[in-house]
Amino acid sequence: MAPVIDVDSHVYEPPALWNEYVPAEYRGLAKNAFFHEVDDAGNRLTVLNGAPAKELNRRKLVRQAIWRPGMTPEQIGQLDPDEFHPLNPGAWDPTARLADMDAMGVDQAVVFPTLFAEYLPRVVDPTAAGVLAQAYNDWIWDFAAQTGGRVHPVAILPLQSVLLARRELDRVAEKGFRSVVIRPAFYKMDVDPDELFNGQMARLQMALQGAGSWGANQPVFVEDKPFRGLWEHVDRLGMVACVHPSLGITGPDAVSSGAFAERVASRVGVQHTVAEPIAYMQDADLFVTAAFFHGLLEDLPTLRLAILHAGATWVPLALEKNETYLWLTPYGMSETSVCLEPEEVWDRHPLIVGFDGWERPVARMPDLLGEKAAWGSRYPHHDASSAHEARQMLEEHGVDQAMVDRLLGGNAAQLFGLEVPAPV
Amino acid sequence: MERLTKSFSVFDCDAHINDPQPVWDYVPEGQKELVRQTYWRNDNEAWLNGDTPVMGGGNGHFAPSYNPICIAGPQMNKKIMRKLLSMAPLTEEQRAYVHHDGALDPKARIKEMDLMGIDQVLVIPTMVIMFLPFARNLEGVDVFCQAYNNFLKDWCAEVPKRLYGAALLPVQDPLRTAHEIKRASDLGHPVGLIRPIDAQAKYPNQVGSAMMAGGGEYDAVFRAFEDTGMVLGMHTFPAPSFPHPLGPDYLASPGELFTRAGTDSQTFSFVHEMQVWLTQVLLSGFLDRYPRLKMAVFESNAIWLPAMLDSCDRVFKLYARERGTSFSQRLPSEAFYEQCVISFESDETGVFRQWEQFENVGIWASDAYHHDGADSWSAMRNMTKVGVPQEVQEKLLGGNARRWYGIEPEMFVTEEPPPIERPDWFPQGAELEEWADMIAHPRENAEKLRELGVERVNPAAVTAGRGGGAEQRGASY
């Protein structure tokens, strides 16, 4: 069997990250901006911008660090949500992590943040966000360094400030990071609409529909014009831009997709989060739509992209929808001369999309979805799957071995430029 | 291309009319001013709440270009439409030619249905879906919906057994909605429409805890659907841009994020609004609470459904001890397949490739005459190309929808028409294909476009429906 690469696994950031990796003189600033801790009795504290923040979990179960190899959804579902269940130490401990990777059939893993992905974009103080990003990156670098090259760390950026983000990008590139995570979300900035892609159009449309005018400190999408230099810099550095959504249920609607679903669902009496099945793919839809409309992939044809944690099934519809509206609407006639056939742009671009071990449409249509797909576990989140589960699903649907090898590692190795030794 | 024939009845489950102005004639005289202050339009202007100008869909809004709400009729396609866009200003004659009168007139509709391979249709309004949820006067909305539903009955009666309508409901007022469901059902309308958005911070889902004997304010609405047997038609739309009562960080529709990201919300607003609705319905036990409810999911595409159901099933298991005790043990996928159908459009290859997942729940929609609409012939070609069995095609193209709506099949169309003879100015033939290929790849063809003096269209001018951009340019794309 070919080597297996898990293209989407996670850490659950421990207090040591703040206590040992944030310089003492900035620790108060950083912890006041964003901090999280769970004690051994399950008591939690999450601070955001100096106040208690909405938690990712409504009950005591810490679902982002609960899964262990072999656990099924049914088993997790039977855990008492009002009792504390110990977190999987593989979420922050390299030794435990490697043991779990062995059990999951994973040779190498690309590792993303959990809490930093959810909360860091909403830190108001850019300086604090910069300090926190540095701390995370230094911590994850050291974590990966203890895994014998089997874990590939992905750096995070303080996108509240393009200046600080670019500075941190240079620093992590110098350190040796080969990829950076960019959450497809809105970041508050003080910009004039005319500084945005189609800002004039947005303003016009809002005026036509009777909406209010654009205000200061406006949410700006991460693909929009103020960020373009950053994307160009990622490309110049030869790093992989990992577009990775977060659930987004702890913030307001205007940050990313999950919040709207979660907020309106609260009226129907549902007692747990409902955004998980849709938030990630909706954020992916938004990113690629913006990218096609504004020519990101055409402007930067060598930019390596990995769009993760959203499944792969959304891709054909995203291509079709963008094609339709690039042809048909005045918005398609955008400021940039963009290709009206996004499938062509997609096919020739160096990119992958993550898929889940239970995502059967990938197995049903490997010719349609498999060329650019790469399996990710979501470990140790509660909805994780192992490589064994993914392999079984693909083989049950008759996917040929060569495609299975690409889906479980080959496509990822190619994009990330990984040299993969013989499998474990 | 070989012309197709068919031997079964095609039911178009989701096509549109363009809110014909006679609807307002159905408003009782004494309430006309009330409705005028609620939602009113003519061919050139539209007003919401009496004080907010909106784009009501009249031809005047789009002059000097075509009306995209009435454009996708027989043998139209995106290349023709793009070329027409570039030809603005169109003459009055040209605009009239590309306007499909079936969007307003039932007799014209039938002629166009014949050409598009459609035997029976369920028609749905257009811009009222966008704006009516934001109307503040509850009585005005109610009166307008009654007028629309009365109009619809007469409109459909012009051609019995071919034309059916989806009732409009005053959704911001649940009790009036429940009443109108019963009235519209008595009128014979098989479907009642609700748009799943948070307009005025009133997302239409407050039914109360499933454990309570009573219910929230919308409980009466869904009970009325159950009691009448009327199908709940969830229909989505492009994102609005009205201020939200909770403030600028909150949205009425998830599609607004696409506008804010500098794109066109039409791309995904439809899909995302529906995904939000469906995921909470499936994970909250909503369908267990209303086990006799029949729901139709409209205008949101369908390829995403199998993966979302798999994901919902997984989440359902993961939260087994957090969802309360009154639920049945039906998986979300089981509940969907028992109580829902979902519309798909002619170009959804991913749906056809997974036809086993849609065999009994897929219902075809033309979306005519909206600019992304298509005929049934193209759906048949695409299905045949990927091997969808004939008996399944018949279900997907009509059988499932009729079963859901309780409508008997009638067949009026058996042969695909020959190419329509077009006037000389109409974009067509090799010249159109060559032009379309060139403008589809503007970077590769930059030099050629420059040589030909072809410039990009001024998007602001087109969107504003003004000729300002048109005079500035010669040839354009």
Side-chain angles (χ1 to χ4, degrees):
Chain A
M1 277 190 292
V4 171
I5 296 171
D6 175 0
V7 80
D8 179 20
S9 72
H10 288 263
V11 293
Y12 192 82
E13 297 85 335
L17 190 158
W18 283 267
N19 295 332
E20 298 171 22
Y21 284 83
V22 176
E25 64 269 32
Y26 294 120
R27 202 164 292 149
L29 174 80
K31 281 189 163 182
N32 191 54
F34 166 49
F35 177 69
H36 177 83
E37 182 172 7
V38 188
D39 71 12
D40 57 8
N43 300 303
R44 291 171 306 199
L45 172 64
T46 305
V47 175
L48 185 66
N49 299 319
K54 185 180 177 186
E55 299 284 349
L56 277 165
N57 303 288
R58 298 188 194 180
R59 312 276 278 271
K60 274 197 165 182
L61 214 53
V62 181
R63 291 180 174 273
Q64 295 72 32
I66 197 70
W67 188 85
R68 294 163 192 258
M71 286 185 90
T72 64
E74 288 83 356
Q75 288 171 328
I76 292 175
Q78 289 310 311
L79 296 176
D80 186 343
D82 295 320
E83 280 190 13
F84 178 62
H85 298 270
L87 278 54
N88 180 349
W92 62 85
D93 175 64
T95 306
R97 179 68 163 228
L98 289 176
D100 282 352
M101 286 169 61
D102 289 346
M104 293 165 68
V106 171
D107 296 288
Q108 298 192 18
V110 182
V111 178
F112 293 89
T114 294
L115 299 163
F116 270 64
E118 178 72 15
Y119 293 103
L120 188 68
R122 287 175 32 236
V123 168
V124 170
D125 180 348
T127 306
V131 169
L132 285 160
Q134 274 194 33
Y136 175 85
N137 292 335
D138 291 343
W139 174 78
I140 194 68
W141 182 259
D142 287 352
F143 173 93
Q146 298 170 66
T147 62
R150 290 180 63 189
V151 166
H152 301 282
V154 183
I156 197 165
L157 301 176
L159 291 165
Q160 291 83 342
S161 159
V162 173
L163 183 149
L164 294 178
R166 184 178 161 126
R167 189 172 294 164
E168 182 62 7
L169 184 58
D170 281 331
R171 193 184 76 87
V172 296
E174 180 71 23
K175 201 172 173 85
F177 280 87
R178 291 196 281 185
S179 48
V180 61
V181 59
I182 296 176
R183 177 177 163 192
F186 289 80
Y187 298 80
K188 289 210 167 178
M189 288 184 168
D190 191 5
V191 294
D192 187 275
D194 294 337
E195 295 172 41
L196 304 174
F197 285 123
N198 284 329
Q200 186 190 356
M201 292 292 291
R203 189 168 12 204
L204 178 63
Q205 189 177 58
M206 291 174 85
L208 282 170
Q209 294 185 350
S213 60
W214 206 280
N217 204 19
Q218 193 68 24
V220 176
F221 191 58
V222 76
E223 188 280 336
D224 216 321
K225 203 181 281 182
F227 292 102
R228 181 53 72 93
L230 210 55
W231 291 96
E232 290 168 355
H233 202 48
V234 172
D235 184 32
R236 269 195 301 274
L237 292 168
M239 298 175 81
V240 178
C242 299
V243 176
H244 189 301
S246 182
L247 189 54
I249 60 172
T250 63
D253 300 0
V255 176
S256 62
S257 301
F260 178 82
E262 197 74 354
R263 180 173 65 78
V264 297
S266 66
R267 293 164 57 93
V268 80
V270 64
Q271 296 176 36
H272 58 75
T273 180
V274 301
E276 287 174 67
I278 55 173
Y280 307 116
M281 65 177 168
Q282 291 190 342
D283 284 347
D285 287 335
L286 180 59
F287 172 75
V288 298
T289 298
F292 284 132
F293 268 69
H294 306 146
L296 178 71
L297 277 58
E298 294 174 85
D299 289 345
L300 304 174
T302 59
L303 173 70
R304 288 186 289 161
L305 271 178
I307 306 173
L308 304 168
H309 214 104
T313 309
W314 57 272
V315 172
L317 186 60
L319 298 177
E320 185 266 321
K321 284 289 181 191
N322 276 282
E323 179 193 318
T324 297
Y325 290 101
L326 284 166
W327 275 93
L328 292 184
T329 71
Y331 264 109
M333 303 172 189
S334 57
E335 297 172 38
T336 311
S337 292
V338 298
C339 179
L340 305 184
E341 297 290 348
E343 190 171 348
E344 295 175 11
V345 177
W346 182 266
D347 284 347
R348 65 178 179 244
H349 202 85
L351 63 84
I352 58 169
V353 292
F355 77 96
D356 296 300
W358 70 86
E359 196 178 349
R360 291 184 291 178
V362 175
R364 292 187 194 117
M365 303 181 287
D367 55 322
L368 191 64
L369 299 171
E371 291 297 317
K372 288 180 179 286
W375 169 74
S377 73
R378 300 190 177 197
Y379 168 99
H381 295 184
H382 70 158
D383 52 352
S385 65
S386 71
H388 309 306
E389 184 180 350
R391 186 182 299 280
Q392 185 180 347
M393 176 193 73
L394 295 168
E395 291 178 350
E396 277 176 0
H397 284 81
V399 179
D400 70 60
Q401 192 56 50
M403 178 59 85
V404 171
D405 290 345
R406 287 178 62 183
L407 290 168
L408 293 185
N411 287 343
Q414 188 176 0
L415 185 87
F416 282 89
L418 302 179
E419 291 174 12
V420 188
V424 294
Chain B
M1 193 159 47
E2 190 180 344
R3 285 161 56 195
L4 297 178
T5 60
K6 70 180 184 65
S7 57
F8 59 92
S9 172
V10 168
F11 193 105
D12 179 358
C13 80
D14 174 12
H16 291 271
I17 54 176
N18 189 24
D19 311 346
Q21 289 178 55
V23 170
W24 281 264
D25 296 339
Y26 278 71
V27 175
E29 201 56 45
Q31 292 171 303
K32 277 200 160 59
E33 185 55 28
L34 173 69
V35 170
R36 200 176 173 86
Q37 296 300 317
T38 301
Y39 182 66
W40 172 85
R41 63 157 273 208
N42 64 19
D43 208 35
N44 297 305
E45 57 183 316
W47 293 87
L48 176 67
N49 294 320
D51 57 7
T52 306
V54 294
M55 199 288 286
N59 291 335
H61 283 286
F62 302 99
S65 189
Y66 62 74
N67 186 337
I69 294 169
C70 309
I71 188 72
Q75 299 179 17
M76 294 294 286
N77 63 47
K78 65 187 182 188
K79 294 176 182 174
I80 296 170
M81 290 180 229
R82 179 73 178 220
K83 182 65 179 174
L84 288 170
L85 275 177
S86 78
M87 289 163 58
L90 300 176
T91 65
E92 284 303 313
E93 181 192 354
Q94 289 170 329
R95 294 179 69 219
Y97 179 82
V98 298
H99 183 279
H100 291 96
D101 293 343
L104 304 170
D105 173 54
K107 296 285 179 6
R109 184 79 177 212
I110 294 302
K111 289 179 189 164
E112 288 156 2
M113 285 167 62
D114 288 348
L115 293 170
M116 296 177 78
I118 300 166
D119 298 284
Q120 298 167 296
V121 66
L122 181 90
V123 294
I124 289 173
T126 298
M127 294 313 291
V128 295
I129 299 176
M130 169 73 101
F131 296 120
L132 210 59
F134 295 92
R136 290 190 295 265
N137 189 305
L138 302 183
E139 187 186 357
V141 177
D142 193 25
V143 170
F144 178 74
C145 288
Q146 288 181 38
Y148 178 86
N149 294 334
N150 292 340
F151 157 85
L152 189 63
K153 183 190 178 191
D154 291 347
W155 197 89
C156 294
E158 291 279 328
V159 191
K161 299 185 177 179
R162 294 197 75 175
L163 301 178
Y164 297 87
L168 197 59
L169 300 172
V171 178
Q172 49 271 67
D173 186 333
L175 290 180
R176 284 188 165 101
T177 295
H179 185 265
E180 186 61 10
I181 288 169
K182 289 169 186 155
R183 204 187 70 86
S185 179
D186 289 342
L187 290 174
H189 299 315
V191 174
L193 295 171
I194 290 183
R195 182 181 177 189
I197 57 169
D198 198 37
Q200 305 187 65
K202 291 194 77 168
Y203 196 88
N205 65 345
Q206 201 158 31
V207 296
S209 164
M211 296 176 70
M212 290 168 62
E217 57 180 347
Y218 280 89
D219 183 67
V221 171
F222 301 110
R223 297 276 176 227
F225 275 113
E226 281 194 307
D227 292 345
T228 58
M230 181 181 257
V231 172
L232 165 60
M234 301 303 300
H235 195 291
T236 55
F237 222 66
S241 295
F242 295 110
H244 193 279
L246 296 178
D249 278 345
Y250 294 88
L251 313 172
S253 160
E256 289 172 62
L257 293 178
F258 285 78
T259 308
R260 293 182 179 204
T263 74
D264 187 339
S265 81
Q266 291 185 85
T267 49
F268 274 101
S269 186
F270 296 95
V271 179
H272 287 192
E273 284 184 11
M274 194 59 73
Q275 288 174 339
V276 169
W277 169 258
L278 208 49
T279 191
Q280 62 183 282
V281 159
L282 295 174
L283 289 171
S284 67
F286 178 91
L287 293 176
D288 294 333
R289 186 175 172 85
Y290 305 105
R292 293 179 294 136
L293 183 69
K294 296 198 299 183
M295 187 160 69
V297 170
F298 290 132
E299 189 131 10
S300 310
N301 299 95
I303 185 177
W304 49 270
L305 182 75
M308 199 196 90
L309 291 178
D310 282 354
S311 189
C312 283
D313 284 354
R314 203 166 175 98
V315 167
F316 183 83
K317 294 170 186 169
L318 287 165
Y319 286 101
R321 293 185 66 176
E322 291 195 35
R323 64 171 174 264
T325 55
S326 64
F327 282 57
S328 80
Q329 289 305 305
R330 273 195 309 178
L331 288 169
S333 59
E334 293 169 343
F336 182 90
Y337 283 113
E338 287 168 14
Q339 289 185 247
C340 305
V341 292
I342 185 167
S343 74
F344 64 91
E345 297 180 9
S346 298
D347 56 358
E348 291 198 65
T349 305
V351 170
F352 308 148
R353 288 282 304 275
Q354 300 182 89
W355 60 263
E356 293 99 331
Q357 316 301 314
F358 294 96
E359 179 176 356
N360 296 311
V361 298
I363 55 176
W364 173 75
S366 74
D367 199 25
Y369 303 93
H370 292 178
H371 55 175
D372 54 341
D375 62 22
S376 77
W377 308 113
S378 58
M380 287 177 220
R381 281 197 174 85
N382 288 333
M383 288 191 205
T384 301
K385 199 170 163 183
V386 299
V388 180
Q390 182 62 29
E391 63 274 20
V392 177
Q393 289 192 31
E394 294 179 14
K395 283 177 163 182
L396 294 172
L397 284 165
N400 289 338
R402 279 192 303 269
R403 169 174 56 84
W404 212 242
Y405 301 154
I407 290 170
E408 290 299 314
E410 300 283 346
M411 192 166 69
F412 303 91
V413 190
T414 56
E415 290 183 9
E416 186 177 16
I420 298 170
E421 197 167 317
R422 303 290 196 185
D424 288 344
W425 59 264
F426 190 85
Q428 55 197 312
E431 192 181 340
L432 173 65
E433 292 301 320
E434 189 181 341
W435 178 86
D437 185 62
M438 180 174 66
I439 65 112
H441 305 92
R443 299 189 187 201
E444 291 89 332
N445 295 312
E447 196 173 335
K448 196 171 173 184
L449 288 164
R450 263 195 308 276
E451 282 171 11
L452 293 171
V454 178
E455 298 169 355
R456 279 180 288 123
V457 170
N458 176 344
V462 174
T463 294
R466 306 284 182 269
E471 293 94 74
Q472 297 166 13
R473 58 181 185 272
S476 60
Y477 66 96

